[in-house]
Amino acid sequence: MAELLQGESVGASLDISQSVHNEHGENTDWQLVTNKSRTCVMSQVQVSVRDAPLCQLDWELHINSEGMVQEVPELLEKIFKGGIDENIRGEIWKYLLGYYHWHHPAEVRETNRKARVEEYFRMKLQWKSMSEDQQNRFAAFRERKTQIEKDIGRTDRSHPYYLGDNNPNVALLQDILMTYVMYNFDLGYVQGMSDLLSPILYVMKNEVDAYWCFVGFMDRVASNFEFDQGGMKRQLDNLTEIMKFVDPVFYNYLDAKESGNLYFCFRWMLIWFKREFNYSDTMTLWEVLWTKKPCKNFHLLVCAALLDTEKSAIVENKYGFTEILKHVNDMSHRIDLQKTLAKAEGIYDSLKVDPTVSDRVVNILGLAPPSPSLNGHNTEELQNGNGDLLRPTSKPMPIQNRKHSGNSHTRERHGTESSNASSSLNNSSSVEVLSEIDDEQKFENSLNSGFF
């Protein structure tokens, strides 16, 4: 246990690969058993250095005379390392969320925007002009409208932009979400979406721009809101694979405390950590993640960084299932975003040069084979007979869904609310979770404690 708290946890396995011979060179019934251990990745992480936010002057240097954005990879790297200044955030978010295209000149952008404005109000008119009689015969529409009306009444209502009765900005939240229902009726509206829209509308200060940026965000996270929660389950499985590799002893502790499914991270991933940080930090974190750097699924490394930060408290206090849920919930608004991002990037830097990374982790993060000059191995160790660089475990493999025991599961949607009603972000709409019988029954019961 001391090794765990000092960051020296190891993963060990037995290698039974050699037969034992007697003095005459004959095979015996004995085999040589060796203990193979691996140093915990987390103990070797070097925290990266964060930079200042992208400023207006730097942004303008990336725009040519025709209004096209140049050197986009370099620009994205700057955003990843430091975020964006508040005064230019609204403009750059349009690019990050696919509303604007980097290579389009200003004239083309303006033409496209006019078309988007017309399309938005055409869809808005579709539901606005629906009579009460029509709605009475359209149960699915009626249910979604009712849910939206309920959720916007508790979404960030203590934030100055949404404060007070009859606030027109709250009405805009409803109009945008209702129009999204007409745009994507298969998905429609699911609890938690209002949490994702709220900061976008605050930044854009414009109904149409906020709507299309929200569409771009939803295109990335729509699987979070699947009815069977398949997308969330895949992310939890992927995070489990990462934790097993970067800190196997801590993961084994969690597993022993009936928390190996990492369901206490559910809220983090569902609404992209919105309830964990204040408004300003949430916006910075989102724009960092929207760069898609430095790898796929970087948000999972953010989760790993948060877990590593809280590891000592969890283990030293011998927290069990219920205590872990409460501790994670109590982390809200106590997290240092810049330190978390620096550690998450450090985890990535360690993994990208580690030749022992498992195939699953390579596939989840989209890691490329490491350069021989970076990982300490000579060229001969990393080349095959044709001179091609090799990585022992870097061949991507399809991600398989976790197979659950038992013959049947019961799936239910549960509407839940944040327990911290005093903060601006925790006056948010409820989010939905998937509960299954047997091993997930405790998670369902924990909802009554206000975790979500």
Side-chain angles (χ1 to χ4, degrees), residues 177-238:
L177 292 170
M178 286 298 303
T179 304
Y180 185 79
V181 169
M182 304 308 297
Y183 173 81
N184 185 359
F185 207 88
D186 286 341
L187 179 60
Y189 176 80
V190 181
Q191 291 171 313
M193 289 183 183
S194 60
D195 284 288
L196 302 184
L197 172 60
S198 172
I200 294 177
L201 179 58
Y202 167 72
V203 169
M204 294 299 154
K205 305 288 194 300
N206 177 278
E207 180 180 1
V208 176
D209 293 342
Y211 170 79
W212 287 112
C213 286
F214 176 69
V215 168
F217 196 2
M218 286 304 304
D219 285 346
R220 299 189 182 196
V221 300
S223 63
N224 288 12
F225 301 95
E226 293 172 351
F227 180 75
D228 64 355
Q229 294 294 357
M232 289 301 302
K233 291 171 69 63
R234 287 190 295 272
Q235 291 184 72
L236 288 168
D237 283 348
N238 288 343

Short mmCIF file of all heavy atoms in Angstrom, two decimals, residues 177-238:
data_model
loop_
_atom_site.label_atom_id
_atom_site.label_comp_id
_atom_site.label_asym_id
_atom_site.label_seq_id
_atom_site.Cartn_x
_atom_site.Cartn_y
_atom_site.Cartn_z
N LEU A 177 -33.15 24.44 -28.06
CA LEU A 177 -33.31 23.00 -27.82
C LEU A 177 -34.51 22.43 -28.56
O LEU A 177 -34.46 21.31 -29.09
CB LEU A 177 -33.42 22.74 -26.32
CG LEU A 177 -32.15 23.02 -25.51
CD1 LEU A 177 -32.45 22.98 -24.01
CD2 LEU A 177 -31.05 22.03 -25.87
N MET A 178 -35.60 23.16 -28.62
CA MET A 178 -36.77 22.71 -29.36
C MET A 178 -36.47 22.62 -30.86
O MET A 178 -36.92 21.69 -31.55
CB MET A 178 -37.95 23.64 -29.11
CG MET A 178 -38.59 23.50 -27.74
SD MET A 178 -39.27 21.85 -27.45
CE MET A 178 -40.42 21.70 -28.82
N THR A 179 -35.72 23.57 -31.37
CA THR A 179 -35.36 23.53 -32.78
C THR A 179 -34.43 22.36 -33.07
O THR A 179 -34.51 21.74 -34.14
CB THR A 179 -34.71 24.86 -33.21
OG1 THR A 179 -35.59 25.94 -32.90
CG2 THR A 179 -34.42 24.88 -34.70
N TYR A 180 -33.56 22.04 -32.11
CA TYR A 180 -32.69 20.87 -32.29
C TYR A 180 -33.52 19.58 -32.36
O TYR A 180 -33.17 18.65 -33.08
CB TYR A 180 -31.67 20.77 -31.16
CG TYR A 180 -30.68 19.64 -31.37
CD1 TYR A 180 -29.62 19.79 -32.25
CD2 TYR A 180 -30.83 18.42 -30.72
CE1 TYR A 180 -28.72 18.75 -32.47
CE2 TYR A 180 -29.94 17.38 -30.92
CZ TYR A 180 -28.89 17.55 -31.81
OH TYR A 180 -28.01 16.52 -32.04
N VAL A 181 -34.62 19.54 -31.62
CA VAL A 181 -35.52 18.39 -31.71
C VAL A 181 -36.00 18.20 -33.14
O VAL A 181 -36.06 17.08 -33.66
CB VAL A 181 -36.71 18.56 -30.74
CG1 VAL A 181 -37.78 17.51 -31.01
CG2 VAL A 181 -36.24 18.46 -29.29
N MET A 182 -36.36 19.31 -33.81
CA MET A 182 -36.81 19.22 -35.20
C MET A 182 -35.67 18.85 -36.14
O MET A 182 -35.87 18.19 -37.16
CB MET A 182 -37.43 20.55 -35.64
CG MET A 182 -38.57 21.05 -34.75
SD MET A 182 -39.88 19.81 -34.48
CE MET A 182 -40.48 19.58 -36.15
N TYR A 183 -34.46 19.26 -35.80
CA TYR A 183 -33.27 18.97 -36.62
C TYR A 183 -32.87 17.51 -36.50
O TYR A 183 -32.47 16.87 -37.48
CB TYR A 183 -32.13 19.88 -36.18
CG TYR A 183 -30.79 19.59 -36.82
CD1 TYR A 183 -30.49 20.04 -38.10
CD2 TYR A 183 -29.81 18.87 -36.13
CE1 TYR A 183 -29.26 19.79 -38.68
CE2 TYR A 183 -28.57 18.61 -36.69
CZ TYR A 183 -28.31 19.08 -37.97
OH TYR A 183 -27.08 18.82 -38.54
N ASN A 184 -32.96 16.95 -35.30
CA ASN A 184 -32.52 15.57 -35.06
C ASN A 184 -33.55 14.89 -34.19
O ASN A 184 -33.35 14.69 -32.99
CB ASN A 184 -31.15 15.57 -34.37
CG ASN A 184 -30.59 14.17 -34.19
OD1 ASN A 184 -31.21 13.18 -34.57
ND2 ASN A 184 -29.40 14.08 -33.62
N PHE A 185 -34.67 14.54 -34.81
CA PHE A 185 -35.78 14.00 -34.02
C PHE A 185 -35.47 12.60 -33.50
O PHE A 185 -36.03 12.17 -32.49
CB PHE A 185 -37.07 13.98 -34.84
CG PHE A 185 -38.30 14.08 -33.97
CD1 PHE A 185 -38.83 15.32 -33.61
CD2 PHE A 185 -38.91 12.94 -33.47
CE1 PHE A 185 -39.93 15.40 -32.79
CE2 PHE A 185 -40.02 13.02 -32.65
CZ PHE A 185 -40.53 14.26 -32.31
N ASP A 186 -34.59 11.85 -34.18
CA ASP A 186 -34.23 10.52 -33.68
C ASP A 186 -33.61 10.61 -32.28
O ASP A 186 -33.92 9.79 -31.42
CB ASP A 186 -33.25 9.85 -34.64
CG ASP A 186 -33.91 9.37 -35.92
OD1 ASP A 186 -35.15 9.22 -35.92
OD2 ASP A 186 -33.20 9.15 -36.91
N LEU A 187 -32.75 11.58 -32.08
CA LEU A 187 -32.16 11.79 -30.76
C LEU A 187 -33.04 12.70 -29.92
O LEU A 187 -33.29 12.45 -28.75
CB LEU A 187 -30.76 12.40 -30.88
CG LEU A 187 -30.03 12.68 -29.57
CD1 LEU A 187 -29.84 11.38 -28.78
CD2 LEU A 187 -28.67 13.33 -29.85
N GLY A 188 -33.53 13.78 -30.54
CA GLY A 188 -34.43 14.69 -29.85
C GLY A 188 -33.75 15.43 -28.73
O GLY A 188 -32.72 16.07 -28.91
N TYR A 189 -34.32 15.32 -27.56
CA TYR A 189 -33.73 15.95 -26.37
C TYR A 189 -33.60 14.91 -25.27
O TYR A 189 -34.52 14.14 -25.00
CB TYR A 189 -34.60 17.11 -25.87
CG TYR A 189 -34.04 17.71 -24.60
CD1 TYR A 189 -32.98 18.60 -24.64
CD2 TYR A 189 -34.55 17.32 -23.35
CE1 TYR A 189 -32.43 19.11 -23.47
CE2 TYR A 189 -34.01 17.83 -22.18
CZ TYR A 189 -32.95 18.72 -22.25
OH TYR A 189 -32.40 19.22 -21.09
N VAL A 190 -32.44 14.94 -24.62
CA VAL A 190 -32.19 14.07 -23.48
C VAL A 190 -31.65 14.95 -22.36
O VAL A 190 -30.90 15.91 -22.60
CB VAL A 190 -31.18 12.96 -23.83
CG1 VAL A 190 -30.95 12.04 -22.62
CG2 VAL A 190 -31.67 12.14 -25.02
N GLN A 191 -32.03 14.63 -21.15
CA GLN A 191 -31.57 15.41 -20.01
C GLN A 191 -30.04 15.49 -19.99
O GLN A 191 -29.35 14.49 -20.16
CB GLN A 191 -32.07 14.77 -18.71
CG GLN A 191 -33.57 14.90 -18.54
CD GLN A 191 -34.07 14.08 -17.36
OE1 GLN A 191 -33.71 12.93 -17.22
NE2 GLN A 191 -34.90 14.66 -16.54
N GLY A 192 -29.55 16.68 -19.77
CA GLY A 192 -28.11 16.93 -19.79
C GLY A 192 -27.69 17.80 -20.96
O GLY A 192 -26.67 18.49 -20.88
N MET A 193 -28.49 17.80 -22.03
CA MET A 193 -28.14 18.61 -23.20
C MET A 193 -28.18 20.10 -22.89
O MET A 193 -27.40 20.88 -23.43
CB MET A 193 -29.07 18.30 -24.37
CG MET A 193 -28.87 16.94 -24.99
SD MET A 193 -29.97 16.74 -26.42
CE MET A 193 -29.58 15.04 -26.87
N SER A 194 -29.09 20.50 -22.02
CA SER A 194 -29.17 21.92 -21.67
C SER A 194 -27.88 22.38 -20.98
O SER A 194 -27.48 23.54 -21.10
CB SER A 194 -30.37 22.19 -20.76
OG SER A 194 -30.29 21.44 -19.57
N ASP A 195 -27.21 21.47 -20.27
CA ASP A 195 -25.93 21.80 -19.66
C ASP A 195 -24.88 22.13 -20.70
O ASP A 195 -24.00 22.96 -20.47
CB ASP A 195 -25.45 20.62 -18.80
CG ASP A 195 -26.17 20.50 -17.48
OD1 ASP A 195 -25.94 21.36 -16.61
OD2 ASP A 195 -26.98 19.57 -17.33
N LEU A 196 -24.94 21.44 -21.84
CA LEU A 196 -23.96 21.66 -22.90
C LEU A 196 -24.25 22.93 -23.69
O LEU A 196 -23.34 23.59 -24.19
CB LEU A 196 -23.92 20.46 -23.83
CG LEU A 196 -23.60 19.10 -23.18
CD1 LEU A 196 -23.50 18.01 -24.26
CD2 LEU A 196 -22.31 19.17 -22.37
N LEU A 197 -25.53 23.27 -23.82
CA LEU A 197 -25.90 24.46 -24.58
C LEU A 197 -25.63 25.75 -23.81
O LEU A 197 -25.24 26.77 -24.41
CB LEU A 197 -27.38 24.39 -24.97
CG LEU A 197 -27.98 25.65 -25.61
CD1 LEU A 197 -27.24 26.01 -26.90
CD2 LEU A 197 -29.47 25.46 -25.86
N SER A 198 -25.84 25.74 -22.51
CA SER A 198 -25.81 26.96 -21.72
C SER A 198 -24.53 27.79 -21.91
O SER A 198 -24.61 28.99 -22.21
CB SER A 198 -26.01 26.62 -20.23
OG SER A 198 -25.80 27.75 -19.42
N PRO A 199 -23.32 27.22 -21.77
CA PRO A 199 -22.11 28.03 -21.97
C PRO A 199 -21.96 28.52 -23.41
O PRO A 199 -21.41 29.60 -23.65
CB PRO A 199 -20.97 27.08 -21.59
CG PRO A 199 -21.60 26.06 -20.72
CD PRO A 199 -22.99 25.88 -21.27
N ILE A 200 -22.44 27.73 -24.38
CA ILE A 200 -22.33 28.14 -25.78
C ILE A 200 -23.16 29.39 -26.04
O ILE A 200 -22.70 30.34 -26.69
CB ILE A 200 -22.74 26.98 -26.71
CG1 ILE A 200 -21.75 25.83 -26.57
CG2 ILE A 200 -22.81 27.45 -28.16
CD1 ILE A 200 -22.11 24.60 -27.39
N LEU A 201 -24.39 29.40 -25.55
CA LEU A 201 -25.24 30.58 -25.74
C LEU A 201 -24.64 31.78 -25.01
O LEU A 201 -24.66 32.91 -25.53
CB LEU A 201 -26.65 30.30 -25.23
CG LEU A 201 -27.65 31.47 -25.35
CD1 LEU A 201 -27.79 31.93 -26.78
CD2 LEU A 201 -29.01 31.07 -24.77
N TYR A 202 -24.09 31.56 -23.83
CA TYR A 202 -23.45 32.65 -23.08
C TYR A 202 -22.31 33.26 -23.88
O TYR A 202 -22.14 34.49 -23.91
CB TYR A 202 -22.95 32.12 -21.75
CG TYR A 202 -22.02 33.07 -21.03
CD1 TYR A 202 -22.49 34.24 -20.45
CD2 TYR A 202 -20.66 32.78 -20.94
CE1 TYR A 202 -21.63 35.11 -19.80
CE2 TYR A 202 -19.79 33.65 -20.30
CZ TYR A 202 -20.27 34.81 -19.73
OH TYR A 202 -19.43 35.68 -19.09
N VAL A 203 -21.52 32.44 -24.56
CA VAL A 203 -20.37 32.94 -25.33
C VAL A 203 -20.83 33.60 -26.62
O VAL A 203 -20.34 34.68 -26.99
CB VAL A 203 -19.39 31.79 -25.63
CG1 VAL A 203 -18.34 32.22 -26.66
CG2 VAL A 203 -18.70 31.32 -24.36
N MET A 204 -21.77 33.00 -27.31
CA MET A 204 -22.18 33.50 -28.62
C MET A 204 -23.06 34.76 -28.54
O MET A 204 -23.01 35.62 -29.42
CB MET A 204 -22.94 32.41 -29.39
CG MET A 204 -22.09 31.22 -29.75
SD MET A 204 -20.71 31.67 -30.81
CE MET A 204 -19.55 30.37 -30.42
N LYS A 205 -23.90 34.82 -27.53
CA LYS A 205 -24.83 35.95 -27.39
C LYS A 205 -25.70 36.11 -28.63
O LYS A 205 -26.17 37.20 -28.96
CB LYS A 205 -24.07 37.26 -27.15
CG LYS A 205 -23.11 37.25 -25.98
CD LYS A 205 -23.82 37.27 -24.65
CE LYS A 205 -22.89 37.60 -23.48
NZ LYS A 205 -21.79 36.65 -23.29
N ASN A 206 -25.93 35.02 -29.36
CA ASN A 206 -26.71 35.05 -30.60
C ASN A 206 -27.39 33.71 -30.77
O ASN A 206 -26.74 32.66 -30.69
CB ASN A 206 -25.81 35.36 -31.80
CG ASN A 206 -26.54 35.34 -33.12
OD1 ASN A 206 -26.77 34.28 -33.71
ND2 ASN A 206 -26.93 36.51 -33.60
N GLU A 207 -28.67 33.72 -31.02
CA GLU A 207 -29.46 32.49 -31.08
C GLU A 207 -29.00 31.55 -32.18
O GLU A 207 -28.79 30.35 -31.94
CB GLU A 207 -30.94 32.85 -31.28
CG GLU A 207 -31.87 31.65 -31.36
CD GLU A 207 -33.31 32.06 -31.55
OE1 GLU A 207 -33.59 33.28 -31.64
OE2 GLU A 207 -34.18 31.17 -31.62
N VAL A 208 -28.85 32.06 -33.40
CA VAL A 208 -28.50 31.20 -34.53
C VAL A 208 -27.08 30.66 -34.39
O VAL A 208 -26.84 29.46 -34.60
CB VAL A 208 -28.66 31.96 -35.86
CG1 VAL A 208 -28.20 31.09 -37.03
CG2 VAL A 208 -30.11 32.38 -36.06
N ASP A 209 -26.13 31.53 -34.05
CA ASP A 209 -24.75 31.07 -33.89
C ASP A 209 -24.65 30.02 -32.79
O ASP A 209 -23.95 29.01 -32.93
CB ASP A 209 -23.84 32.25 -33.56
CG ASP A 209 -23.71 33.24 -34.71
OD1 ASP A 209 -24.05 32.87 -35.86
OD2 ASP A 209 -23.28 34.38 -34.47
N ALA A 210 -25.35 30.25 -31.68
CA ALA A 210 -25.34 29.29 -30.58
C ALA A 210 -25.93 27.95 -31.02
O ALA A 210 -25.41 26.89 -30.66
CB ALA A 210 -26.10 29.84 -29.38
N TYR A 211 -27.00 28.01 -31.80
CA TYR A 211 -27.63 26.78 -32.25
C TYR A 211 -26.68 25.93 -33.09
O TYR A 211 -26.51 24.73 -32.82
CB TYR A 211 -28.89 27.08 -33.07
CG TYR A 211 -29.43 25.85 -33.75
CD1 TYR A 211 -30.20 24.93 -33.04
CD2 TYR A 211 -29.15 25.58 -35.09
CE1 TYR A 211 -30.67 23.79 -33.65
CE2 TYR A 211 -29.63 24.43 -35.70
CZ TYR A 211 -30.39 23.54 -34.98
OH TYR A 211 -30.85 22.39 -35.58
N TRP A 212 -26.05 26.54 -34.10
CA TRP A 212 -25.19 25.73 -34.99
C TRP A 212 -23.92 25.27 -34.29
O TRP A 212 -23.39 24.20 -34.61
CB TRP A 212 -24.89 26.51 -36.27
CG TRP A 212 -26.09 26.59 -37.16
CD1 TRP A 212 -26.82 27.69 -37.47
CD2 TRP A 212 -26.71 25.49 -37.85
NE1 TRP A 212 -27.87 27.36 -38.30
CE2 TRP A 212 -27.83 26.02 -38.56
CE3 TRP A 212 -26.45 24.13 -37.95
CZ2 TRP A 212 -28.66 25.22 -39.33
CZ3 TRP A 212 -27.29 23.32 -38.72
CH2 TRP A 212 -28.37 23.87 -39.40
N CYS A 213 -23.43 26.04 -33.35
CA CYS A 213 -22.29 25.57 -32.56
C CYS A 213 -22.72 24.40 -31.66
O CYS A 213 -21.97 23.43 -31.48
CB CYS A 213 -21.72 26.71 -31.72
SG CYS A 213 -20.79 27.92 -32.67
N PHE A 214 -23.93 24.48 -31.12
CA PHE A 214 -24.46 23.38 -30.32
C PHE A 214 -24.61 22.12 -31.17
O PHE A 214 -24.29 21.02 -30.72
CB PHE A 214 -25.81 23.78 -29.72
CG PHE A 214 -26.50 22.68 -28.95
CD1 PHE A 214 -25.99 22.23 -27.76
CD2 PHE A 214 -27.67 22.11 -29.44
CE1 PHE A 214 -26.63 21.22 -27.05
CE2 PHE A 214 -28.32 21.10 -28.75
CZ PHE A 214 -27.80 20.65 -27.55
N VAL A 215 -25.06 22.28 -32.41
CA VAL A 215 -25.15 21.14 -33.33
C VAL A 215 -23.77 20.49 -33.50
O VAL A 215 -23.63 19.27 -33.48
CB VAL A 215 -25.72 21.57 -34.69
CG1 VAL A 215 -25.54 20.48 -35.74
CG2 VAL A 215 -27.20 21.93 -34.56
N GLY A 216 -22.75 21.34 -33.69
CA GLY A 216 -21.40 20.81 -33.83
C GLY A 216 -20.92 20.07 -32.60
O GLY A 216 -20.26 19.02 -32.71
N PHE A 217 -21.25 20.58 -31.43
CA PHE A 217 -20.88 19.91 -30.18
C PHE A 217 -21.62 18.57 -30.06
O PHE A 217 -21.03 17.53 -29.73
CB PHE A 217 -21.22 20.81 -29.01
CG PHE A 217 -20.57 20.43 -27.70
CD1 PHE A 217 -19.70 19.37 -27.60
CD2 PHE A 217 -20.83 21.17 -26.56
CE1 PHE A 217 -19.09 19.03 -26.40
CE2 PHE A 217 -20.25 20.85 -25.34
CZ PHE A 217 -19.38 19.78 -25.26
N MET A 218 -22.91 18.58 -30.37
CA MET A 218 -23.69 17.36 -30.27
C MET A 218 -23.22 16.30 -31.26
O MET A 218 -23.30 15.10 -30.98
CB MET A 218 -25.17 17.66 -30.48
CG MET A 218 -25.84 18.35 -29.31
SD MET A 218 -25.68 17.43 -27.75
CE MET A 218 -26.40 15.85 -28.22
N ASP A 219 -22.73 16.72 -32.41
CA ASP A 219 -22.20 15.75 -33.37
C ASP A 219 -21.05 14.94 -32.74
O ASP A 219 -20.82 13.79 -33.11
CB ASP A 219 -21.69 16.46 -34.63
CG ASP A 219 -22.83 16.93 -35.53
OD1 ASP A 219 -23.98 16.49 -35.32
OD2 ASP A 219 -22.57 17.76 -36.42
N ARG A 220 -20.34 15.56 -31.82
CA ARG A 220 -19.22 14.87 -31.17
C ARG A 220 -19.66 14.00 -30.00
O ARG A 220 -19.00 13.00 -29.71
CB ARG A 220 -18.21 15.90 -30.66
CG ARG A 220 -17.60 16.76 -31.76
CD ARG A 220 -16.46 17.59 -31.21
NE ARG A 220 -15.90 18.47 -32.23
CZ ARG A 220 -14.72 19.07 -32.13
NH1 ARG A 220 -13.99 18.89 -31.05
NH2 ARG A 220 -14.29 19.85 -33.09
N VAL A 221 -20.70 14.40 -29.30
CA VAL A 221 -21.04 13.72 -28.05
C VAL A 221 -22.42 13.07 -28.09
O VAL A 221 -22.93 12.65 -27.04
CB VAL A 221 -20.96 14.70 -26.85
CG1 VAL A 221 -19.57 15.25 -26.71
CG2 VAL A 221 -21.98 15.83 -27.00
N ALA A 222 -23.02 12.95 -29.26
CA ALA A 222 -24.37 12.38 -29.35
C ALA A 222 -24.44 10.99 -28.74
O ALA A 222 -25.46 10.61 -28.13
CB ALA A 222 -24.84 12.36 -30.80
N SER A 223 -23.37 10.20 -28.86
CA SER A 223 -23.39 8.84 -28.32
C SER A 223 -23.52 8.84 -26.80
O SER A 223 -23.91 7.82 -26.21
CB SER A 223 -22.14 8.07 -28.75
OG SER A 223 -20.98 8.67 -28.21
N ASN A 224 -23.17 9.96 -26.15
CA ASN A 224 -23.36 10.04 -24.69
C ASN A 224 -24.82 9.92 -24.30
O ASN A 224 -25.13 9.54 -23.16
CB ASN A 224 -22.83 11.39 -24.17
CG ASN A 224 -21.32 11.48 -24.17
OD1 ASN A 224 -20.65 10.64 -24.76
ND2 ASN A 224 -20.79 12.50 -23.53
N PHE A 225 -25.72 10.25 -25.23
CA PHE A 225 -27.14 10.33 -24.90
C PHE A 225 -27.96 9.23 -25.56
O PHE A 225 -29.17 9.35 -25.68
CB PHE A 225 -27.67 11.71 -25.30
CG PHE A 225 -26.96 12.85 -24.61
CD1 PHE A 225 -25.90 13.50 -25.22
CD2 PHE A 225 -27.33 13.23 -23.34
CE1 PHE A 225 -25.24 14.53 -24.58
CE2 PHE A 225 -26.67 14.26 -22.68
CZ PHE A 225 -25.62 14.92 -23.31
N GLU A 226 -27.30 8.16 -25.99
CA GLU A 226 -28.02 7.02 -26.55
C GLU A 226 -28.94 6.42 -25.49
O GLU A 226 -28.60 6.41 -24.30
CB GLU A 226 -27.04 5.96 -27.05
CG GLU A 226 -26.21 6.42 -28.25
CD GLU A 226 -25.10 5.43 -28.59
OE1 GLU A 226 -24.89 4.49 -27.80
OE2 GLU A 226 -24.45 5.60 -29.63
N PHE A 227 -30.08 5.92 -25.93
CA PHE A 227 -31.07 5.42 -24.99
C PHE A 227 -30.53 4.29 -24.11
O PHE A 227 -30.79 4.25 -22.91
CB PHE A 227 -32.32 4.93 -25.74
CG PHE A 227 -33.40 4.41 -24.83
CD1 PHE A 227 -34.18 5.28 -24.09
CD2 PHE A 227 -33.60 3.05 -24.68
CE1 PHE A 227 -35.16 4.80 -23.23
CE2 PHE A 227 -34.58 2.56 -23.83
CZ PHE A 227 -35.36 3.44 -23.11
N ASP A 228 -29.75 3.39 -24.71
CA ASP A 228 -29.22 2.27 -23.93
C ASP A 228 -27.88 2.61 -23.27
O ASP A 228 -27.25 1.75 -22.66
CB ASP A 228 -29.06 1.02 -24.80
CG ASP A 228 -28.05 1.20 -25.91
OD1 ASP A 228 -27.51 2.32 -26.08
OD2 ASP A 228 -27.78 0.21 -26.64
N GLN A 229 -27.45 3.88 -23.41
CA GLN A 229 -26.19 4.35 -22.83
C GLN A 229 -24.99 3.56 -23.33
O GLN A 229 -23.97 3.43 -22.64
CB GLN A 229 -26.25 4.31 -21.29
CG GLN A 229 -27.26 5.28 -20.70
CD GLN A 229 -26.89 6.74 -20.92
OE1 GLN A 229 -25.85 7.04 -21.48
NE2 GLN A 229 -27.76 7.64 -20.50
N GLY A 230 -25.10 3.04 -24.55
CA GLY A 230 -23.99 2.28 -25.12
C GLY A 230 -22.73 3.12 -25.26
O GLY A 230 -21.62 2.63 -25.01
N GLY A 231 -22.87 4.37 -25.67
CA GLY A 231 -21.71 5.24 -25.82
C GLY A 231 -21.01 5.49 -24.49
O GLY A 231 -19.78 5.50 -24.41
N MET A 232 -21.78 5.68 -23.43
CA MET A 232 -21.18 5.90 -22.12
C MET A 232 -20.51 4.64 -21.60
O MET A 232 -19.43 4.69 -21.01
CB MET A 232 -22.26 6.37 -21.13
CG MET A 232 -22.76 7.78 -21.38
SD MET A 232 -21.43 9.01 -21.29
CE MET A 232 -20.82 8.75 -19.63
N LYS A 233 -21.12 3.52 -21.85
CA LYS A 233 -20.52 2.26 -21.40
C LYS A 233 -19.20 2.01 -22.12
O LYS A 233 -18.24 1.52 -21.51
CB LYS A 233 -21.49 1.10 -21.63
CG LYS A 233 -22.71 1.13 -20.72
CD LYS A 233 -23.75 0.11 -21.12
CE LYS A 233 -23.28 -1.30 -20.85
NZ LYS A 233 -23.05 -1.55 -19.40
N ARG A 234 -19.13 2.35 -23.41
CA ARG A 234 -17.86 2.18 -24.14
C ARG A 234 -16.78 3.07 -23.56
O ARG A 234 -15.62 2.66 -23.43
CB ARG A 234 -18.07 2.48 -25.62
CG ARG A 234 -18.83 1.40 -26.38
CD ARG A 234 -18.79 1.65 -27.88
NE ARG A 234 -19.49 2.87 -28.26
CZ ARG A 234 -20.78 2.91 -28.54
NH1 ARG A 234 -21.53 1.81 -28.44
NH2 ARG A 234 -21.36 4.05 -28.91
N GLN A 235 -17.15 4.31 -23.22
CA GLN A 235 -16.15 5.22 -22.64
C GLN A 235 -15.67 4.73 -21.28
O GLN A 235 -14.48 4.82 -20.97
CB GLN A 235 -16.74 6.62 -22.52
CG GLN A 235 -16.97 7.30 -23.86
CD GLN A 235 -17.48 8.72 -23.68
OE1 GLN A 235 -16.74 9.61 -23.28
NE2 GLN A 235 -18.76 8.92 -23.96
N LEU A 236 -16.58 4.22 -20.47
CA LEU A 236 -16.19 3.68 -19.17
C LEU A 236 -15.29 2.46 -19.33
O LEU A 236 -14.31 2.29 -18.59
CB LEU A 236 -17.42 3.34 -18.35
CG LEU A 236 -18.22 4.54 -17.83
CD1 LEU A 236 -19.58 4.09 -17.29
CD2 LEU A 236 -17.45 5.28 -16.75
N ASP A 237 -15.60 1.62 -20.31
CA ASP A 237 -14.74 0.47 -20.60
C ASP A 237 -13.35 0.95 -21.04
O ASP A 237 -12.33 0.38 -20.63
CB ASP A 237 -15.35 -0.39 -21.70
CG ASP A 237 -16.49 -1.26 -21.20
OD1 ASP A 237 -16.66 -1.36 -19.97
OD2 ASP A 237 -17.23 -1.82 -22.03
N ASN A 238 -13.31 1.98 -21.88
CA ASN A 238 -12.03 2.49 -22.36
C ASN A 238 -11.22 3.10 -21.21
O ASN A 238 -10.00 2.90 -21.13
CB ASN A 238 -12.25 3.54 -23.45
CG ASN A 238 -12.74 2.93 -24.76
OD1 ASN A 238 -12.62 1.73 -24.97
ND2 ASN A 238 -13.29 3.76 -25.62
#
